[in-house]
Amino acid sequence: MQPELYASPDEDLRITDLHAFYGESHILHGIDISLCRGELVTLLGRNGAGRTTTLRAIMGLVSRRTGSIMVKGQETIAMPTHRIAHLGIGYCPEERGIYSSLSVEENLLLPPKVASGGLTVEQLYEMFPNLAERRNSRGTQLSGGEQQMLAMARILRTGADLLLLDEITEGLAPVIVERLGEVLTRLKGMGYTIVLVEQNFHFAAPLADRHYVVEHGHVVETVLKEELKAKTDLLNSYLSV
Amino acid sequence: MDIFSISPQVLLGQLLLGLINGSLYAVLSLGLAIIFGLLNIVNFTHGAQYMLGAVLAWAGLNYLGMNYWLALIFAPLMVGAIGIIIERTMLRRLANVDHLYGLLLTFGLALIIEGLLVRMLGVTGQPYAGPPELKGGMNLGFMFLPYYRAWVVVASLAACLGAWLLIERTKIGAYLRASTENPNLLKAFGINVPLLVTLAYGFGAALAGFAGVLAAPLFQVSPLMGSNLIIVVFAVVVIGGMGSILGSIVTGLSMGLIEGLTKVVYPEASSTVVFVVMAIVLLVRPAGLFGKAA
Ligand SMILES: Nc1ncnc2c1ncn2[C@@H]1O[C@H](COP(=O)(O)OP(=O)(O)OP(=O)(O)O)[C@@H](O)[C@H]1O
Ligand SMILES: [Mg+2]
């Protein structure tokens, strides 16, 4: 699959030959990914494949990166992290990053607006009713599932329409995973562009337009939604431990 | 050394003096706590910044005729501005190396600033007359309380309360707290964290300068006035717990009171009692009374 196939004016993200480093360790070895407005893609792969690093590299949170990362037509490879965010990106990190010195509501209101639009606090409390009840608790007094909802809600308020979501279902009960699936479906319907890092393929499969399989810092396979059935065995061979 | 034979007058008087020192400790250790939280640096320049506040107030009065109240505004602003320059040009470069380097740099800077001022002004203390509006005092029955000393307590506590409200109740305070905890994620949300760090250092330095102006009429103004005080303040910070805002305020006040109490009970130990407390706290609760265990 050539990334050029997706070249179009409404391209939200185009990553070309991305290399990323933590100190001396060379982690990403030439990643190519692209997404159009409103698409949802997943990054699949085994533990340590480099999926989290890909998201961190997009945000400029690695020691060094080379190649090209175009966000809505703008080159960001040399931009400082806080400016990249203002291009309209919402980042939900793997460790969730709920601040313990802030209340639930302070966590929710923490990220500044990066674009117009965005859901209101009322809409978010309606989408995640648990958060409304716990709004005055310390952020880290929430359960794992509630913390995940808070981490999601937090970036939906800012007007960001390109979401980078890292393992949002990790370690959560099936009902909550189901709930997050509904939320993602709703967001996709609203036109959000989403990069989803997932281990849970059954969660990701029905949502995604396309899957990128990452291995040792390379994209080794791209599977379109239509090809899922035909390529199930191939995917399993890539993802089985 | 019978505690019960001590007259309440003497006791209350010393406690009040302790409260005055304690309120200065509180302002100084609060600034240190803010700087430590954001920069992870123990700011050894803090004593010099305190001294600079006092010297600027003294120089402003003698060379420019600037009165105390103006000095109370301008000297901290100047010290804060100098702090911002220090952070931008020097501390910033050490952000990614061991925090020990920041400690060494700020220690060296303190020596340079003090050395320069000793060359310019000598080591003899200069008196600084407080504001005429606060001349005199009132008789409390157990002691005579100069109005200026009461003002120092009020102004220090107001500064602490203001800083605490800023940090705990405002948006910028939420950014500061978040940056203390996880600065990278805050960057990813679109906050210019390096700018926040610069402002926090400037604010911490300005608080030290503010304490210096408050102290100028109490003590002699001299280039070395900060170096003794700051050792006690470091002990206060260790007792309270590195980086804890509330901890530094409460500990600052209580250590002043404990010093006052010791002056009554066993005067010989009054200058060491804070370090004794520090040693005990370090043994029992290494993270400090208000610190979170690492
Ligand atoms: N801070 C770091 N310093 C050095 N190496 C790192 C660092 N973080 C991750 N790595 C290494 O980079 C590689 C990719 O890690 P990454 O977190 O991107 O994997 P992942 O695909 O997200 O896997 P996981 O399922 O474990 O989350 C791993 O080999 C990991 O050991
Ligand atoms: Mg990961």
Side-chain angles (χ1 to χ4, degrees):
Chain A
M1 180 73 42
Q2 293 304 305
E4 276 72 21
L5 269 177
Y6 299 99
S8 79
D10 54 332
E11 197 170 49
D12 259 9
L13 180 67
R14 164 183 283 268
I15 299 175
T16 323
D17 194 30
L18 175 65
H19 291 250
F21 302 79
Y22 289 118
E24 296 294 304
S25 328
H26 189 167
I27 308 291
L28 301 184
H29 301 264
I31 296 269
D32 296 292
I33 289 173
S34 72
L35 267 91
C36 284
R37 175 105 297 267
E39 282 189 315
L40 189 156
V41 305
T42 67
L43 305 186
L44 304 173
R46 295 200 179 94
N47 293 118
R51 297 162 304 146
T52 295
T53 307
T54 304
L55 298 192
R56 291 178 58 86
I58 296 171
M59 294 314 301
L61 292 174
V62 291
S63 333
R64 195 159 74 79
R65 51 194 188 139
T66 64
S68 163
I69 303 174
M70 303 288 287
V71 177
K72 300 174 188 174
Q74 280 209 54
E75 180 56 72
T76 65
I77 201 78
M79 260 188 207
T81 299
H82 69 270
R83 293 218 12 239
I84 298 173
H86 282 275
L87 296 175
I89 306 188
Y91 173 52
C92 185
E94 188 168 19
E95 67 285 357
R96 293 173 191 147
I98 300 306
Y99 288 100
S100 64
S101 53
L102 271 59
S103 71
V104 168
E105 190 144 289
E106 280 179 318
N107 266 285
L108 188 58
L109 299 178
L110 183 75
K113 291 254 177 208
V114 292
S116 58
L119 303 183
T120 64
V121 174
E122 289 70 39
Q123 285 172 316
L124 290 168
Y125 280 150
E126 180 258 322
M127 193 180 260
F128 304 104
N130 296 34
L131 298 182
E133 292 161 28
R134 308 291 311 271
R135 64 173 74 184
N136 294 318
S137 311
R138 291 267 126 187
T140 40
Q141 283 169 352
L142 298 182
S143 72
E146 289 167 336
Q147 289 193 27
Q148 187 61 66
M149 291 178 189
L150 179 54
M152 284 280 294
R154 192 162 62 169
I155 56 173
L156 295 177
R157 216 198 91 257
T158 64
D161 53 7
L162 169 56
L163 307 182
L164 311 179
L165 309 178
D166 199 344
E167 306 246 16
I168 56 172
T169 62
E170 194 180 16
L172 300 183
V175 279
I176 299 175
V177 174
E178 202 177 306
R179 181 90 192 75
L180 286 169
E182 289 162 19
V183 168
L184 284 189
T185 308
R186 201 165 142 190
L187 294 176
K188 195 160 186 288
M190 294 164 76
Y192 282 85
T193 310
I194 301 173
V195 182
L196 190 65
V197 168
E198 258 310 323
Q199 293 276 25
N200 185 343
F201 182 65
H202 298 288
F203 173 78
L207 297 166
D209 297 302
R210 199 160 56 252
H211 304 273
Y212 292 98
V213 180
V214 181
E215 204 169 80
H216 302 302
H218 301 269
V219 172
V220 291
E221 186 68 44
T222 307
V223 179
L224 302 182
K225 189 181 195 130
E226 307 78 63
E227 303 171 321
L228 262 186
K229 276 224 165 62
K231 289 195 175 172
T232 304
D233 288 344
L234 180 72
L235 271 176
N236 278 336
S237 73
Y238 274 122
L239 302 178
S240 61
V241 191
Chain B
M1 232 194 26
D2 181 359
I3 293 181
F4 299 102
S5 69
I6 291 162
S7 79
Q9 271 88 345
V10 174
L11 181 64
L12 286 172
Q14 285 299 344
L15 283 180
L16 202 70
L17 285 177
L19 186 64
I20 292 162
N21 281 334
S23 54
L24 289 178
Y25 296 161
V27 177
L28 286 167
S29 57
L30 171 66
L32 276 177
I34 292 170
I35 291 172
F36 183 79
L38 270 103
L39 286 85
N40 256 311
I41 280 177
V42 181
N43 180 35
F44 267 77
T45 319
H46 219 66
Q49 282 155 339
Y50 158 85
M51 172 272 288
L52 217 49
V55 169
L56 284 172
W58 173 84
L61 181 66
N62 285 288
Y63 297 110
L64 305 172
M66 183 193 281
N67 75 29
Y68 171 87
W69 303 106
L70 285 176
L72 200 57
I73 296 167
F74 283 111
L77 284 179
M78 283 280 289
V79 177
I82 295 168
I84 284 176
I85 293 169
I86 290 174
E87 200 282 331
R88 276 272 144 143
T89 56
M90 293 177 252
L91 288 173
R92 164 82 35 107
R93 295 162 189 273
L94 301 180
N96 295 320
V97 297
D98 197 301
H99 308 316
L100 201 57
Y101 290 96
L103 185 151
L104 289 173
L105 179 75
T106 54
F107 186 57
L109 278 173
L111 294 180
I112 291 170
I113 295 171
E114 286 174 358
L116 280 175
L117 284 168
V118 166
R119 271 198 78 97
M120 288 162 62
L121 307 172
V123 289
T124 35
Q126 306 282 346
Y128 177 85
E133 294 84 350
L134 295 176
K135 275 220 159 60
M138 59 184 150
N139 200 331
L140 295 180
F142 58 91
M143 75 173 288
F144 178 78
L145 175 65
Y147 289 132
Y148 186 75
R149 293 184 178 237
W151 157 249
V152 169
V153 175
V154 171
S156 303
L157 292 184
C160 289
L161 183 69
W164 185 81
L165 287 174
L166 176 77
I167 290 163
E168 294 295 328
R169 293 283 181 273
T170 69
K171 195 64 195 272
I172 188 128
Y175 291 152
L176 288 170
R177 277 175 285 147
S179 182
T180 299
E181 221 179 304
N182 183 350
N184 279 336
L185 184 58
L186 198 62
K187 284 181 198 164
F189 287 152
I191 302 293
N192 188 343
V193 172
L195 179 65
L196 200 65
V197 166
T198 304
L199 292 177
Y201 189 81
F203 183 60
L207 275 176
F210 181 76
V213 183
L214 285 179
L218 295 176
F219 312 117
Q220 302 265 305
V221 175
S222 98
L224 300 179
M225 67 188 282
S227 50
N228 294 327
L229 184 69
I230 206 63
I231 304 290
V232 180
V233 174
F234 280 130
V236 168
V237 171
V238 172
I239 295 167
M242 286 300 222
S244 162
I245 302 295
L246 193 61
S248 56
I249 298 174
V250 173
T251 314
L253 287 171
S254 10
M255 287 308 116
L257 290 173
I258 285 181
E259 274 185 354
L261 196 64
T262 314
K263 275 211 180 87
V264 181
V265 183
Y266 188 55
E268 293 83 347
S270 67
S271 58
T272 40
V273 62
V274 172
F275 301 100
V276 175
V277 175
M278 180 182 84
I280 295 170
V281 167
L282 279 179
L283 289 174
V284 180
R285 235 186 108 89
L289 296 179
F290 294 81
K292 293 185 200 88

